[in-house]
Each structure stands twice: as C-alpha cells, then as structure tokens.
Amino acid sequence: MPGALSRRLCRRLPVRQVLCLVPPLLVAVVAVRHRSVLAQGFGHLAEARWPWLLAAAGVTCLTWVAAACTRQGAVVERLPRRRLLAAQFAAGAANHLLPTGLGASAVNLRFMTVCGVPLARSSAALALYLLAGSVGRVALLGALLLAFPGALRLGALLPEGFLGPLLLAGAAAPAVAAGVLAPAPRVRAAVASFLRTALGEARSVHARPARALALWGGALAFPALQAAGLALVGRALELPVPAAHLAVAYLAATVAVAPVPAPGGIGSVEAALVVALVAAGGPVALSTAVVLAYRIITVWLPLPPGALTLAALVRLKVI
C-alpha cells in the first residue's frame, strides 16, 4: 500500500512542479542557518545613510545586465534579451545555493540548450564566459594595483613567507593536472574534443565585433560594478578608506577565495573582505559592518525574488 500511494502521488505531482518548490525551500534553509549574520547586517543597514545604500542597490541591479551581456557575447546565436536577463537574476540565486558556481552554470547551460544552442557549443560558451570573467577580474585588479600600489598592505593579508609557496603551487597546478590526465586516453580524447569545440566557438565569437565587445566589456563591467557597490556601502557607513582602495580590496578578496567551494562564497567572501578592508586601512569593527551590509544588499535581499524567478522559469520551461 505505501508503495502504491507514493506512485500515485508521483503521478499527481509532476517533477517540474516539485522542482519549482526547491529554490524557495533552499533559501529558507540558508536564511535560518545564517540568521545571526542577517540580523547583524540589517542592524548595520538601519544605521547607514540611505541615499548611498540605494545607489549600491542600483549598481547591484546593473551587475545582472553586465552578466547578460557577457553571456550573449560568449555565443554566436542571438538570445532572447528579456529571458536572458531573467535567467541571470535566477542564476544569481542558484549560485548562492550550490557550491563553486554550479548553480549559475547549470541554469545558463539549460537556458542556452532550450534556446536551441547544441549542448557541446553551450558548454563551450559557458567555458568561454568563465574564462572571460576570470581574466576580466584579474586584469582589473592588476590595473588598479598598478594605479594604486599602496592600496593594500600585502603583509597584512598573507603570513610572512607565504607568497612564494602560493605562487609555486599555482604554477605547478597545470603540470599536476596534465599528470593526472596522461594515463587516461578516454579522458584525454574527451578533453581534446571539448577544446576543439571551445576554440572554434571562441573564433566564431571574436569574428563578430559586437559579440567580442559584449563578452569582454561585460567581463570587465561585472567586477567593476561589484567593487563600486562595496565602495558605495563604505561611503554609506563612513568607512575611512578611499573608494579606489575599496575596489582593490574587493577584487583581491574575491580573487583569493574564488577556489573555495562554498555556495555563493557565503562565509569565505565575508572573511576575506574583512581582512582586505583592514589591510586597506579600515577599522576592524567598521570594516565588518560594511561587509555585512554589502552582503545583505548583494546576496540576501535578491535571494528570495531570485529563487521565485528561478521557480517561475522552471515552470514556464524557459530553463
């Protein structure tokens, strides 16, 4: 009897309807687990100057536009603009519910395949997007460090003697990966096939100036807008650190914690940002307040509507 009852329930509840309930439920679970952080963040928001906070919220909204531009620039086919923008908003919520960007990648991969892009080319476009995003963030950080060399005291960010082994480990990573793949012919063949597809997609995209501009312009605009949001929140709470130094601190912190497999960087990003702001010259207590308020605006406030948008897109079969 129990087995027959469960089968009847499964027939009455289609899988797509069940999936629509998953994002809001996950948001509720994450919010309950981090309720103390949320309470502190909202407390700091109440003490801040609202015009600057509204400006930070507006800049946060522009990050989804930048992400949509980059996604469009990574694929030759023209994607529907409104659905693409809605998918980026939903992907932001999914990104904070699954580790290491898996949520956003899954949403966008599904979106492109529904739009008619073959799976192999959708995967190649996704890889191109991730590469452009990483290059854009690191390039922007390098440019700001050259322009403002005293923005960060690296000695305050890294223990003494730690930078050398860190660079050595980064340089050795490709060799280790090659050593792991060498004994696996099937894996090598699959990787070679994917690389051929990805290189072909990259050539096709860069053969169109509009696509290349959207790809690299969005890849630079996205981290710049995120850094600007942090600078505006710092201004709202009167953090005594120049805006350019806040931008350097933000980019350095996010680059440093990028490999950490935490959903949306929750926990790791906050810790790295506090350390970076202190290294930029901010007081510890006020830097913590700025980080909590910034994460409330950029993560927690968009999370419930983003989850509802994700559920709606699943229900409408957009993804």
Side-chain angles (χ1 to χ4, degrees):
M1 283 297 291
L5 179 61
S6 64
R7 285 193 295 272
R8 284 198 297 271
L9 288 174
C10 288
R11 285 195 295 269
R12 292 180 183 178
L13 290 175
V15 174
R16 189 170 291 275
Q17 292 185 6
V18 174
L19 289 176
C20 291
L21 301 175
V22 172
L25 290 176
L26 287 177
V27 169
V29 171
V30 173
V32 169
R33 289 182 58 189
H34 297 86
R35 57 186 179 276
S36 61
V37 175
L38 288 173
Q40 293 180 48
F42 278 112
H44 294 307
L45 285 178
E47 302 168 359
R49 292 185 290 177
W50 282 95
W52 296 107
L53 292 182
L54 291 176
V59 166
T60 299
C61 293
L62 290 177
T63 60
W64 300 314
V65 178
C69 289
T70 313
R71 298 284 183 188
Q72 176 60 86
V75 66
V76 175
E77 286 84 351
R78 188 177 184 84
L79 302 174
R81 293 181 181 178
R82 293 182 181 179
R83 282 185 285 169
L84 175 60
L85 185 58
Q88 301 322 299
F89 185 48
N95 201 43
H96 293 108
L97 300 176
L98 293 174
T100 321
L102 292 178
S105 298
V107 167
N108 280 286
L109 189 63
R110 177 63 182 169
F111 174 73
M112 285 187 286
T113 53
V114 169
C115 289
V117 183
L119 181 59
R121 292 186 50 240
S122 296
S123 302
L126 179 62
L128 181 58
Y129 169 87
L130 295 174
L131 176 63
S134 301
V135 171
R137 188 175 296 269
V138 173
L140 188 59
L141 173 60
L144 286 176
L145 282 174
L146 289 175
F148 305 96
L152 284 182
R153 297 188 298 272
L154 293 178
L157 289 173
L158 298 174
E160 185 177 356
F162 184 73
L163 186 58
L166 181 63
L167 294 176
L168 182 61
V176 173
V180 171
L181 295 177
R186 291 185 179 179
V187 175
R188 288 203 311 272
V191 170
S193 175
F194 174 78
L195 288 177
R196 283 194 298 270
T197 303
L199 289 174
E201 190 71 13
R203 283 195 296 267
S204 300
V205 163
H206 287 87
R208 301 190 177 196
R211 291 289 186 269
L213 179 62
L215 176 67
W216 294 105
L220 288 170
F222 186 77
L225 288 168
Q226 289 180 318
L230 179 64
L232 289 168
V233 174
R235 187 70 180 269
L237 289 170
E238 299 182 347
L239 182 70
V241 177
H245 292 198
L246 283 174
V248 172
Y250 175 82
L251 293 169
T254 52
V255 167
V257 301
V260 179
I266 295 176
S268 58
V269 170
E270 286 84 353
L273 278 176
V274 171
V275 172
L277 291 185
V278 172
V284 176
L286 192 53
S287 297
T288 304
V290 168
V291 169
L292 290 177
Y294 173 74
R295 294 291 277 176
I296 287 286
I297 291 173
T298 58
V299 175
W300 294 103
L301 288 181
L303 193 53
L308 293 175
T309 302
L310 178 59
L313 293 180
V314 171
R315 186 177 184 85
L316 295 173
K317 299 182 180 180
V318 175
I319 58 175

